[in-house]
Amino acid sequence: MRVRLFAILRELAGSSEVEADGSSVEQVVQILCDRYGERFTQVIRSSQVVVDGEVAPLDLSLEGKEQVALLPPVSGG
């Protein structure tokens, strides 16, 4: 499934969209953490996962056709 990445997560992965297949949000996140390393994992810990426009829990089951986005915390001034 296609996962959209924003801000620092996009920079760490080198792309705004990546592929990761999993049967739950947690599996998809773990696949991406394994792929992109420790800094990506650190940012994910404080990020939100959005599935089909709604904030999603890690245990949410996925069918593979959902729109998944990972949104890191944003700071501004």
Side-chain angles (χ1 to χ4, degrees):
M1 94 177 34
R2 186 176 303 154
V3 180
R4 296 183 66 203
L5 304 174
F6 295 89
I8 185 73
L9 295 174
R10 178 183 62 228
E11 292 174 23
L12 292 169
S15 180
S16 63
E17 291 187 350
V18 296
E19 293 290 325
D21 293 325
S23 61
S24 69
V25 168
E26 185 172 27
Q27 284 183 348
V28 169
V29 167
Q30 188 59 54
I31 288 166
L32 296 176
C33 288
D34 292 345
R35 186 182 301 164
Y36 297 113
E38 183 60 32
R39 180 69 179 126
F40 190 94
T41 301
Q42 290 172 347
V43 175
I44 283 289
R45 289 184 187 137
S46 59
S47 298
Q48 286 188 324
V49 179
V50 176
V51 176
D52 293 336
E54 300 288 331
V55 175
L58 290 176
D59 63 354
L60 180 69
S61 294
L62 300 171
E63 295 177 13
K65 57 187 174 186
E66 295 87 354
Q67 293 182 3
V68 178
L70 301 178
L71 305 172
V74 179
S75 63

Short mmCIF file of all heavy atoms in Angstrom, two decimals:
data_model
loop_
_atom_site.label_atom_id
_atom_site.label_comp_id
_atom_site.label_asym_id
_atom_site.label_seq_id
_atom_site.Cartn_x
_atom_site.Cartn_y
_atom_site.Cartn_z
N MET A 1 0.83 -1.17 0.00
CA MET A 1 0.00 0.00 0.00
C MET A 1 0.88 1.24 0.00
O MET A 1 2.01 1.21 0.48
CB MET A 1 -0.96 -0.05 1.18
CG MET A 1 -0.53 0.65 2.41
SD MET A 1 -1.74 0.63 3.75
CE MET A 1 -2.51 -0.92 3.57
N ARG A 2 0.36 2.30 -0.53
CA ARG A 2 1.08 3.56 -0.60
C ARG A 2 0.89 4.33 0.70
O ARG A 2 -0.22 4.46 1.21
CB ARG A 2 0.55 4.38 -1.77
CG ARG A 2 1.35 5.65 -1.98
CD ARG A 2 0.89 6.40 -3.19
NE ARG A 2 0.97 5.54 -4.35
CZ ARG A 2 0.22 5.67 -5.43
NH1 ARG A 2 -0.67 6.62 -5.50
NH2 ARG A 2 0.36 4.86 -6.45
N VAL A 3 2.00 4.83 1.23
CA VAL A 3 1.99 5.61 2.47
C VAL A 3 2.58 6.97 2.16
O VAL A 3 3.68 7.07 1.61
CB VAL A 3 2.81 4.91 3.57
CG1 VAL A 3 2.78 5.73 4.86
CG2 VAL A 3 2.31 3.49 3.81
N ARG A 4 1.85 8.01 2.49
CA ARG A 4 2.33 9.38 2.28
C ARG A 4 3.10 9.84 3.51
O ARG A 4 2.65 9.64 4.65
CB ARG A 4 1.17 10.31 1.99
CG ARG A 4 0.46 9.92 0.69
CD ARG A 4 -0.65 10.86 0.34
NE ARG A 4 -0.06 12.17 0.05
CZ ARG A 4 -0.74 13.30 0.13
NH1 ARG A 4 -2.00 13.32 0.46
NH2 ARG A 4 -0.15 14.45 -0.15
N LEU A 5 4.24 10.47 3.27
CA LEU A 5 5.09 10.97 4.34
C LEU A 5 5.20 12.48 4.24
O LEU A 5 5.26 13.03 3.14
CB LEU A 5 6.49 10.36 4.23
CG LEU A 5 6.56 8.83 4.22
CD1 LEU A 5 7.98 8.38 3.96
CD2 LEU A 5 6.04 8.25 5.52
N PHE A 6 5.28 13.14 5.39
CA PHE A 6 5.34 14.59 5.42
C PHE A 6 6.53 15.06 6.25
O PHE A 6 7.02 14.35 7.13
CB PHE A 6 4.04 15.16 5.99
CG PHE A 6 2.86 14.89 5.11
CD1 PHE A 6 2.12 13.73 5.25
CD2 PHE A 6 2.52 15.78 4.11
CE1 PHE A 6 1.03 13.47 4.42
CE2 PHE A 6 1.45 15.53 3.27
CZ PHE A 6 0.70 14.38 3.43
N ALA A 7 6.98 16.27 5.94
CA ALA A 7 8.03 16.99 6.69
C ALA A 7 9.28 16.14 6.86
O ALA A 7 9.80 15.61 5.90
CB ALA A 7 7.46 17.49 8.01
N ILE A 8 9.77 16.00 8.09
CA ILE A 8 11.02 15.30 8.36
C ILE A 8 10.97 13.84 7.94
O ILE A 8 11.97 13.27 7.50
CB ILE A 8 11.44 15.44 9.86
CG1 ILE A 8 12.81 14.82 10.12
CG2 ILE A 8 10.41 14.80 10.78
CD1 ILE A 8 13.96 15.62 9.58
N LEU A 9 9.80 13.20 8.04
CA LEU A 9 9.69 11.80 7.61
C LEU A 9 9.94 11.68 6.11
O LEU A 9 10.60 10.75 5.66
CB LEU A 9 8.32 11.22 7.98
CG LEU A 9 8.05 11.11 9.48
CD1 LEU A 9 6.61 10.67 9.72
CD2 LEU A 9 9.03 10.16 10.13
N ARG A 10 9.44 12.62 5.35
CA ARG A 10 9.67 12.65 3.90
C ARG A 10 11.16 12.80 3.63
O ARG A 10 11.72 12.12 2.77
CB ARG A 10 8.87 13.78 3.27
CG ARG A 10 9.10 13.93 1.77
CD ARG A 10 8.36 15.10 1.19
NE ARG A 10 8.84 16.34 1.80
CZ ARG A 10 8.06 17.29 2.29
NH1 ARG A 10 6.76 17.20 2.25
NH2 ARG A 10 8.58 18.37 2.82
N GLU A 11 11.81 13.69 4.36
CA GLU A 11 13.25 13.92 4.18
C GLU A 11 14.06 12.67 4.52
O GLU A 11 14.99 12.31 3.80
CB GLU A 11 13.70 15.09 5.02
CG GLU A 11 13.13 16.42 4.56
CD GLU A 11 13.47 17.55 5.50
OE1 GLU A 11 14.46 17.45 6.26
OE2 GLU A 11 12.73 18.56 5.49
N LEU A 12 13.72 12.01 5.61
CA LEU A 12 14.46 10.83 6.04
C LEU A 12 14.29 9.67 5.06
O LEU A 12 15.22 8.90 4.83
CB LEU A 12 14.02 10.41 7.44
CG LEU A 12 14.41 11.37 8.56
CD1 LEU A 12 13.70 11.01 9.85
CD2 LEU A 12 15.92 11.41 8.74
N ALA A 13 13.11 9.54 4.48
CA ALA A 13 12.85 8.46 3.52
C ALA A 13 13.30 8.81 2.11
O ALA A 13 13.46 7.92 1.27
CB ALA A 13 11.36 8.12 3.51
N GLY A 14 13.47 10.09 1.85
CA GLY A 14 13.88 10.52 0.52
C GLY A 14 12.76 10.52 -0.50
O GLY A 14 13.00 10.58 -1.70
N SER A 15 11.52 10.47 -0.01
CA SER A 15 10.36 10.45 -0.90
C SER A 15 9.11 10.85 -0.13
O SER A 15 9.00 10.60 1.07
CB SER A 15 10.17 9.04 -1.48
OG SER A 15 9.05 9.00 -2.33
N SER A 16 8.15 11.43 -0.83
CA SER A 16 6.89 11.79 -0.19
C SER A 16 5.90 10.64 -0.16
O SER A 16 4.91 10.69 0.57
CB SER A 16 6.26 13.00 -0.88
OG SER A 16 5.95 12.68 -2.22
N GLU A 17 6.15 9.60 -0.94
CA GLU A 17 5.30 8.40 -0.93
C GLU A 17 6.18 7.16 -1.00
O GLU A 17 7.14 7.12 -1.78
CB GLU A 17 4.34 8.40 -2.11
CG GLU A 17 3.27 9.44 -2.03
CD GLU A 17 2.23 9.31 -3.13
OE1 GLU A 17 2.43 8.53 -4.08
OE2 GLU A 17 1.21 10.00 -3.01
N VAL A 18 5.84 6.18 -0.17
CA VAL A 18 6.57 4.91 -0.15
C VAL A 18 5.57 3.77 -0.13
O VAL A 18 4.38 3.97 0.18
CB VAL A 18 7.52 4.82 1.05
CG1 VAL A 18 8.62 5.87 0.98
CG2 VAL A 18 6.77 4.94 2.36
N GLU A 19 6.03 2.58 -0.43
CA GLU A 19 5.19 1.39 -0.39
C GLU A 19 5.53 0.58 0.85
O GLU A 19 6.70 0.38 1.18
CB GLU A 19 5.42 0.53 -1.63
CG GLU A 19 4.94 1.17 -2.91
CD GLU A 19 3.42 1.25 -3.02
OE1 GLU A 19 2.74 0.32 -2.55
OE2 GLU A 19 2.94 2.25 -3.58
N ALA A 20 4.51 0.09 1.54
CA ALA A 20 4.68 -0.79 2.70
C ALA A 20 3.40 -1.58 2.88
O ALA A 20 2.33 -1.00 3.04
CB ALA A 20 4.99 0.02 3.95
N ASP A 21 3.51 -2.89 2.83
CA ASP A 21 2.34 -3.75 2.99
C ASP A 21 2.29 -4.33 4.38
O ASP A 21 3.27 -4.89 4.87
CB ASP A 21 2.35 -4.86 1.94
CG ASP A 21 2.17 -4.33 0.54
OD1 ASP A 21 1.40 -3.35 0.38
OD2 ASP A 21 2.77 -4.88 -0.39
N GLY A 22 1.15 -4.19 5.02
CA GLY A 22 0.93 -4.75 6.34
C GLY A 22 -0.55 -4.89 6.57
O GLY A 22 -1.36 -4.23 5.92
N SER A 23 -0.92 -5.75 7.50
CA SER A 23 -2.34 -5.97 7.77
C SER A 23 -2.87 -5.07 8.88
O SER A 23 -4.05 -5.10 9.21
CB SER A 23 -2.59 -7.44 8.12
OG SER A 23 -1.86 -7.80 9.29
N SER A 24 -1.98 -4.26 9.48
CA SER A 24 -2.40 -3.30 10.50
C SER A 24 -1.53 -2.05 10.39
O SER A 24 -0.45 -2.08 9.78
CB SER A 24 -2.27 -3.89 11.90
OG SER A 24 -0.90 -4.05 12.25
N VAL A 25 -1.98 -0.99 11.00
CA VAL A 25 -1.20 0.24 11.04
C VAL A 25 0.16 -0.04 11.69
O VAL A 25 1.20 0.39 11.20
CB VAL A 25 -1.96 1.35 11.78
CG1 VAL A 25 -1.06 2.53 12.08
CG2 VAL A 25 -3.19 1.78 11.01
N GLU A 26 0.15 -0.80 12.76
CA GLU A 26 1.39 -1.10 13.48
C GLU A 26 2.40 -1.82 12.58
O GLU A 26 3.58 -1.51 12.59
CB GLU A 26 1.09 -1.94 14.71
CG GLU A 26 2.31 -2.20 15.56
CD GLU A 26 1.95 -2.87 16.88
OE1 GLU A 26 0.93 -3.58 16.94
OE2 GLU A 26 2.71 -2.67 17.84
N GLN A 27 1.93 -2.77 11.78
CA GLN A 27 2.84 -3.49 10.87
C GLN A 27 3.43 -2.55 9.83
O GLN A 27 4.63 -2.62 9.53
CB GLN A 27 2.12 -4.64 10.19
CG GLN A 27 1.90 -5.83 11.09
CD GLN A 27 1.24 -6.98 10.35
OE1 GLN A 27 0.74 -6.83 9.24
NE2 GLN A 27 1.24 -8.14 10.99
N VAL A 28 2.63 -1.69 9.27
CA VAL A 28 3.11 -0.73 8.27
C VAL A 28 4.16 0.18 8.90
O VAL A 28 5.23 0.40 8.32
CB VAL A 28 1.95 0.08 7.66
CG1 VAL A 28 2.46 1.25 6.84
CG2 VAL A 28 1.06 -0.83 6.82
N VAL A 29 3.88 0.70 10.07
CA VAL A 29 4.83 1.58 10.76
C VAL A 29 6.12 0.83 11.05
O VAL A 29 7.22 1.36 10.82
CB VAL A 29 4.20 2.15 12.06
CG1 VAL A 29 5.26 2.80 12.94
CG2 VAL A 29 3.10 3.14 11.72
N GLN A 30 6.04 -0.41 11.51
CA GLN A 30 7.24 -1.19 11.82
C GLN A 30 8.08 -1.45 10.58
O GLN A 30 9.31 -1.36 10.61
CB GLN A 30 6.88 -2.51 12.51
CG GLN A 30 8.09 -3.26 13.01
CD GLN A 30 8.89 -2.44 14.02
OE1 GLN A 30 8.35 -1.97 15.01
NE2 GLN A 30 10.19 -2.27 13.77
N ILE A 31 7.44 -1.76 9.47
CA ILE A 31 8.15 -1.98 8.21
C ILE A 31 8.94 -0.72 7.84
O ILE A 31 10.11 -0.80 7.46
CB ILE A 31 7.17 -2.36 7.09
CG1 ILE A 31 6.66 -3.78 7.31
CG2 ILE A 31 7.80 -2.22 5.71
CD1 ILE A 31 5.44 -4.14 6.47
N LEU A 32 8.31 0.43 7.97
CA LEU A 32 8.98 1.68 7.60
C LEU A 32 10.10 2.02 8.59
O LEU A 32 11.16 2.50 8.18
CB LEU A 32 7.97 2.81 7.51
CG LEU A 32 6.93 2.64 6.39
CD1 LEU A 32 5.91 3.76 6.44
CD2 LEU A 32 7.59 2.55 5.03
N CYS A 33 9.89 1.75 9.86
CA CYS A 33 10.95 1.99 10.84
C CYS A 33 12.16 1.11 10.56
O CYS A 33 13.30 1.56 10.62
CB CYS A 33 10.43 1.75 12.25
SG CYS A 33 9.29 3.02 12.84
N ASP A 34 11.92 -0.16 10.25
CA ASP A 34 13.01 -1.07 9.92
C ASP A 34 13.75 -0.60 8.67
O ASP A 34 14.98 -0.68 8.59
CB ASP A 34 12.49 -2.49 9.70
CG ASP A 34 11.97 -3.14 10.97
OD1 ASP A 34 12.25 -2.64 12.07
OD2 ASP A 34 11.26 -4.17 10.84
N ARG A 35 13.01 -0.11 7.72
CA ARG A 35 13.59 0.32 6.44
C ARG A 35 14.41 1.61 6.58
O ARG A 35 15.47 1.74 5.98
CB ARG A 35 12.47 0.52 5.42
CG ARG A 35 12.98 0.84 4.01
CD ARG A 35 11.84 1.06 3.05
NE ARG A 35 10.96 -0.09 2.97
CZ ARG A 35 9.72 -0.05 2.46
NH1 ARG A 35 9.23 1.08 1.98
NH2 ARG A 35 8.97 -1.13 2.43
N TYR A 36 13.91 2.58 7.35
CA TYR A 36 14.52 3.91 7.36
C TYR A 36 15.32 4.24 8.61
O TYR A 36 15.90 5.32 8.70
CB TYR A 36 13.45 4.97 7.09
CG TYR A 36 12.85 4.79 5.72
CD1 TYR A 36 11.52 4.41 5.57
CD2 TYR A 36 13.62 4.96 4.57
CE1 TYR A 36 10.98 4.23 4.31
CE2 TYR A 36 13.08 4.77 3.32
CZ TYR A 36 11.76 4.41 3.19
OH TYR A 36 11.23 4.20 1.95
N GLY A 37 15.38 3.37 9.58
CA GLY A 37 16.33 3.51 10.67
C GLY A 37 15.87 4.23 11.92
O GLY A 37 14.69 4.56 12.10
N GLU A 38 16.85 4.45 12.79
CA GLU A 38 16.60 4.94 14.15
C GLU A 38 16.00 6.34 14.19
O GLU A 38 15.06 6.60 14.95
CB GLU A 38 17.90 4.91 14.96
CG GLU A 38 17.73 5.34 16.40
CD GLU A 38 16.75 4.48 17.20
OE1 GLU A 38 16.64 3.27 16.92
OE2 GLU A 38 16.08 5.03 18.08
N ARG A 39 16.50 7.26 13.40
CA ARG A 39 15.94 8.64 13.44
C ARG A 39 14.49 8.64 12.99
O ARG A 39 13.64 9.30 13.60
CB ARG A 39 16.79 9.57 12.56
CG ARG A 39 16.29 11.00 12.55
CD ARG A 39 16.48 11.68 13.89
NE ARG A 39 16.00 13.05 13.81
CZ ARG A 39 15.09 13.57 14.64
NH1 ARG A 39 14.62 12.87 15.64
NH2 ARG A 39 14.68 14.80 14.47
N PHE A 40 14.17 7.89 11.95
CA PHE A 40 12.80 7.76 11.47
C PHE A 40 11.92 7.21 12.60
O PHE A 40 10.84 7.72 12.88
CB PHE A 40 12.77 6.83 10.25
CG PHE A 40 11.46 6.80 9.52
CD1 PHE A 40 11.23 7.62 8.42
CD2 PHE A 40 10.45 5.92 9.90
CE1 PHE A 40 10.03 7.58 7.73
CE2 PHE A 40 9.25 5.87 9.22
CZ PHE A 40 9.04 6.71 8.13
N THR A 41 12.43 6.17 13.28
CA THR A 41 11.70 5.54 14.38
C THR A 41 11.44 6.54 15.50
O THR A 41 10.34 6.59 16.07
CB THR A 41 12.48 4.33 14.91
OG1 THR A 41 12.65 3.40 13.84
CG2 THR A 41 11.75 3.65 16.06
N GLN A 42 12.44 7.36 15.84
CA GLN A 42 12.27 8.36 16.89
C GLN A 42 11.16 9.35 16.54
O GLN A 42 10.34 9.71 17.38
CB GLN A 42 13.57 9.12 17.11
CG GLN A 42 14.65 8.30 17.75
CD GLN A 42 15.99 9.02 17.78
OE1 GLN A 42 16.18 10.03 17.11
NE2 GLN A 42 16.92 8.48 18.55
N VAL A 43 11.12 9.79 15.30
CA VAL A 43 10.10 10.75 14.87
C VAL A 43 8.72 10.10 14.87
O VAL A 43 7.73 10.71 15.29
CB VAL A 43 10.45 11.35 13.49
CG1 VAL A 43 9.33 12.25 12.99
CG2 VAL A 43 11.76 12.11 13.55
N ILE A 44 8.65 8.86 14.42
CA ILE A 44 7.37 8.14 14.38
C ILE A 44 6.72 8.06 15.76
O ILE A 44 5.51 8.13 15.90
CB ILE A 44 7.56 6.72 13.79
CG1 ILE A 44 7.71 6.79 12.29
CG2 ILE A 44 6.43 5.79 14.17
CD1 ILE A 44 6.43 7.15 11.55
N ARG A 45 7.53 7.94 16.79
CA ARG A 45 7.00 7.80 18.16
C ARG A 45 6.11 8.97 18.57
O ARG A 45 5.21 8.82 19.40
CB ARG A 45 8.14 7.66 19.15
CG ARG A 45 8.83 6.32 19.06
CD ARG A 45 9.89 6.17 20.12
NE ARG A 45 10.64 4.96 19.90
CZ ARG A 45 11.96 4.86 20.01
NH1 ARG A 45 12.67 5.92 20.37
NH2 ARG A 45 12.56 3.72 19.77
N SER A 46 6.35 10.14 17.99
CA SER A 46 5.53 11.31 18.34
C SER A 46 4.66 11.77 17.17
O SER A 46 4.11 12.86 17.20
CB SER A 46 6.43 12.45 18.83
OG SER A 46 7.35 12.79 17.82
N SER A 47 4.54 10.93 16.15
CA SER A 47 3.76 11.29 14.96
C SER A 47 2.34 10.74 15.05
O SER A 47 2.05 9.86 15.86
CB SER A 47 4.43 10.71 13.71
OG SER A 47 5.71 11.26 13.54
N GLN A 48 1.48 11.25 14.18
CA GLN A 48 0.13 10.72 14.04
C GLN A 48 0.05 9.91 12.76
O GLN A 48 0.64 10.27 11.74
CB GLN A 48 -0.90 11.85 13.95
CG GLN A 48 -1.16 12.53 15.25
CD GLN A 48 -2.33 13.50 15.11
OE1 GLN A 48 -2.50 14.13 14.09
NE2 GLN A 48 -3.12 13.61 16.17
N VAL A 49 -0.72 8.84 12.84
CA VAL A 49 -1.03 8.06 11.65
C VAL A 49 -2.47 8.39 11.27
O VAL A 49 -3.37 8.35 12.11
CB VAL A 49 -0.89 6.54 11.91
CG1 VAL A 49 -1.25 5.75 10.66
CG2 VAL A 49 0.51 6.21 12.38
N VAL A 50 -2.66 8.74 10.02
CA VAL A 50 -3.99 9.08 9.52
C VAL A 50 -4.36 8.07 8.44
O VAL A 50 -3.58 7.84 7.51
CB VAL A 50 -4.01 10.52 8.96
CG1 VAL A 50 -5.35 10.84 8.35
CG2 VAL A 50 -3.65 11.51 10.06
N VAL A 51 -5.51 7.45 8.60
CA VAL A 51 -6.00 6.49 7.61
C VAL A 51 -7.34 6.99 7.09
O VAL A 51 -8.27 7.22 7.87
CB VAL A 51 -6.17 5.08 8.23
CG1 VAL A 51 -6.76 4.10 7.23
CG2 VAL A 51 -4.82 4.56 8.75
N ASP A 52 -7.39 7.19 5.80
CA ASP A 52 -8.60 7.70 5.14
C ASP A 52 -9.12 8.97 5.82
O ASP A 52 -10.32 9.15 6.04
CB ASP A 52 -9.69 6.63 5.09
CG ASP A 52 -9.31 5.48 4.16
OD1 ASP A 52 -8.48 5.67 3.25
OD2 ASP A 52 -9.85 4.37 4.35
N GLY A 53 -8.19 9.84 6.19
CA GLY A 53 -8.56 11.15 6.74
C GLY A 53 -8.85 11.18 8.22
O GLY A 53 -9.18 12.24 8.76
N GLU A 54 -8.71 10.05 8.91
CA GLU A 54 -8.99 9.99 10.35
C GLU A 54 -7.76 9.51 11.10
O GLU A 54 -7.08 8.58 10.66
CB GLU A 54 -10.15 9.02 10.63
CG GLU A 54 -11.46 9.38 9.96
CD GLU A 54 -12.13 10.58 10.58
OE1 GLU A 54 -11.95 10.82 11.78
OE2 GLU A 54 -12.86 11.28 9.85
N VAL A 55 -7.49 10.12 12.27
CA VAL A 55 -6.39 9.64 13.10
C VAL A 55 -6.69 8.19 13.48
O VAL A 55 -7.81 7.85 13.87
CB VAL A 55 -6.24 10.52 14.36
CG1 VAL A 55 -5.19 9.95 15.30
CG2 VAL A 55 -5.89 11.95 13.96
N ALA A 56 -5.67 7.33 13.32
CA ALA A 56 -5.89 5.90 13.48
C ALA A 56 -5.01 5.33 14.60
O ALA A 56 -3.86 5.72 14.75
CB ALA A 56 -5.57 5.18 12.18
N PRO A 57 -5.55 4.37 15.35
CA PRO A 57 -4.74 3.67 16.35
C PRO A 57 -3.84 2.64 15.68
O PRO A 57 -4.10 2.20 14.54
CB PRO A 57 -5.80 2.97 17.22
CG PRO A 57 -6.94 2.73 16.29
CD PRO A 57 -6.94 3.91 15.34
N LEU A 58 -2.78 2.24 16.36
CA LEU A 58 -1.84 1.27 15.79
C LEU A 58 -2.48 -0.09 15.52
O LEU A 58 -2.06 -0.80 14.61
CB LEU A 58 -0.64 1.10 16.72
CG LEU A 58 0.32 2.28 16.80
CD1 LEU A 58 1.40 2.02 17.83
CD2 LEU A 58 0.92 2.59 15.44
N ASP A 59 -3.50 -0.45 16.29
CA ASP A 59 -4.09 -1.78 16.10
C ASP A 59 -5.18 -1.81 15.02
O ASP A 59 -5.82 -2.85 14.82
CB ASP A 59 -4.63 -2.32 17.42
CG ASP A 59 -5.74 -1.49 18.02
OD1 ASP A 59 -6.06 -0.40 17.48
OD2 ASP A 59 -6.32 -1.92 19.04
N LEU A 60 -5.36 -0.73 14.30
CA LEU A 60 -6.36 -0.70 13.23
C LEU A 60 -5.97 -1.66 12.11
O LEU A 60 -4.85 -1.63 11.61
CB LEU A 60 -6.49 0.71 12.66
CG LEU A 60 -7.51 0.88 11.53
CD1 LEU A 60 -8.93 0.73 12.07
CD2 LEU A 60 -7.34 2.22 10.85
N SER A 61 -6.88 -2.53 11.73
CA SER A 61 -6.64 -3.47 10.63
C SER A 61 -6.75 -2.73 9.29
O SER A 61 -7.56 -1.82 9.14
CB SER A 61 -7.68 -4.60 10.66
OG SER A 61 -7.49 -5.38 11.81
N LEU A 62 -5.93 -3.17 8.35
CA LEU A 62 -5.92 -2.57 7.02
C LEU A 62 -6.22 -3.62 5.97
O LEU A 62 -5.78 -4.76 6.09
CB LEU A 62 -4.55 -1.94 6.73
CG LEU A 62 -4.10 -0.83 7.68
CD1 LEU A 62 -2.65 -0.47 7.40
CD2 LEU A 62 -4.99 0.37 7.53
N GLU A 63 -6.96 -3.22 4.94
CA GLU A 63 -7.29 -4.13 3.84
C GLU A 63 -6.31 -3.96 2.68
O GLU A 63 -6.24 -4.81 1.81
CB GLU A 63 -8.71 -3.86 3.36
CG GLU A 63 -9.76 -4.18 4.39
CD GLU A 63 -11.16 -3.84 3.91
OE1 GLU A 63 -11.35 -3.60 2.69
OE2 GLU A 63 -12.06 -3.81 4.74
N GLY A 64 -5.60 -2.84 2.62
CA GLY A 64 -4.63 -2.60 1.58
C GLY A 64 -5.02 -1.53 0.58
O GLY A 64 -4.21 -1.12 -0.24
N LYS A 65 -6.25 -1.05 0.67
CA LYS A 65 -6.68 -0.01 -0.27
C LYS A 65 -6.89 1.34 0.41
O LYS A 65 -7.29 2.29 -0.23
CB LYS A 65 -7.95 -0.45 -0.98
CG LYS A 65 -9.10 -0.79 -0.05
CD LYS A 65 -10.27 -1.37 -0.80
CE LYS A 65 -11.34 -1.83 0.19
NZ LYS A 65 -12.42 -2.52 -0.45
N GLU A 66 -6.57 1.42 1.69
CA GLU A 66 -6.73 2.65 2.43
C GLU A 66 -5.66 3.67 2.04
O GLU A 66 -4.61 3.32 1.52
CB GLU A 66 -6.61 2.40 3.94
CG GLU A 66 -7.68 1.53 4.52
CD GLU A 66 -7.36 0.04 4.44
OE1 GLU A 66 -6.34 -0.34 3.82
OE2 GLU A 66 -8.14 -0.73 4.97
N GLN A 67 -5.94 4.93 2.33
CA GLN A 67 -4.95 5.99 2.18
C GLN A 67 -4.33 6.22 3.55
O GLN A 67 -5.03 6.60 4.48
CB GLN A 67 -5.61 7.26 1.66
CG GLN A 67 -6.13 7.14 0.26
CD GLN A 67 -6.72 8.45 -0.24
OE1 GLN A 67 -6.68 9.46 0.45
NE2 GLN A 67 -7.25 8.41 -1.43
N VAL A 68 -3.04 5.99 3.66
CA VAL A 68 -2.32 6.11 4.92
C VAL A 68 -1.34 7.27 4.82
O VAL A 68 -0.64 7.42 3.81
CB VAL A 68 -1.57 4.81 5.27
CG1 VAL A 68 -0.80 4.96 6.56
CG2 VAL A 68 -2.54 3.63 5.35
N ALA A 69 -1.30 8.10 5.86
CA ALA A 69 -0.37 9.22 5.91
C ALA A 69 0.27 9.25 7.30
O ALA A 69 -0.38 8.96 8.30
CB ALA A 69 -1.08 10.53 5.63
N LEU A 70 1.55 9.60 7.34
CA LEU A 70 2.27 9.75 8.59
C LEU A 70 2.62 11.22 8.77
O LEU A 70 3.30 11.82 7.94
CB LEU A 70 3.54 8.91 8.60
CG LEU A 70 3.32 7.40 8.41
CD1 LEU A 70 4.65 6.68 8.38
CD2 LEU A 70 2.44 6.84 9.49
N LEU A 71 2.12 11.80 9.86
CA LEU A 71 2.26 13.23 10.11
C LEU A 71 3.10 13.46 11.37
O LEU A 71 2.63 13.23 12.48
CB LEU A 71 0.89 13.87 10.30
CG LEU A 71 -0.11 13.65 9.18
CD1 LEU A 71 -1.47 14.17 9.59
CD2 LEU A 71 0.36 14.30 7.91
N PRO A 72 4.34 13.92 11.20
CA PRO A 72 5.16 14.22 12.38
C PRO A 72 4.68 15.48 13.07
O PRO A 72 3.95 16.27 12.48
CB PRO A 72 6.55 14.41 11.79
CG PRO A 72 6.31 14.87 10.40
CD PRO A 72 5.02 14.20 9.96
N PRO A 73 5.09 15.67 14.32
CA PRO A 73 4.73 16.91 15.00
C PRO A 73 5.36 18.09 14.28
O PRO A 73 6.43 17.98 13.69
CB PRO A 73 5.32 16.74 16.41
CG PRO A 73 6.35 15.68 16.27
CD PRO A 73 5.95 14.82 15.12
N VAL A 74 4.66 19.21 14.32
CA VAL A 74 5.14 20.40 13.62
C VAL A 74 5.38 21.50 14.66
O VAL A 74 4.57 21.70 15.55
CB VAL A 74 4.10 20.89 12.59
CG1 VAL A 74 4.58 22.13 11.89
CG2 VAL A 74 3.80 19.78 11.59
N SER A 75 6.49 22.17 14.51
CA SER A 75 6.74 23.32 15.40
C SER A 75 6.78 24.57 14.54
O SER A 75 7.10 24.53 13.36
CB SER A 75 8.06 23.15 16.16
OG SER A 75 9.14 23.11 15.27
N GLY A 76 6.41 25.63 15.14
CA GLY A 76 6.39 26.89 14.39
C GLY A 76 6.61 28.05 15.33
O GLY A 76 6.73 27.90 16.52
N GLY A 77 6.60 29.19 14.75
CA GLY A 77 6.82 30.34 15.60
C GLY A 77 6.20 31.56 15.04
O GLY A 77 5.57 31.65 14.07
#
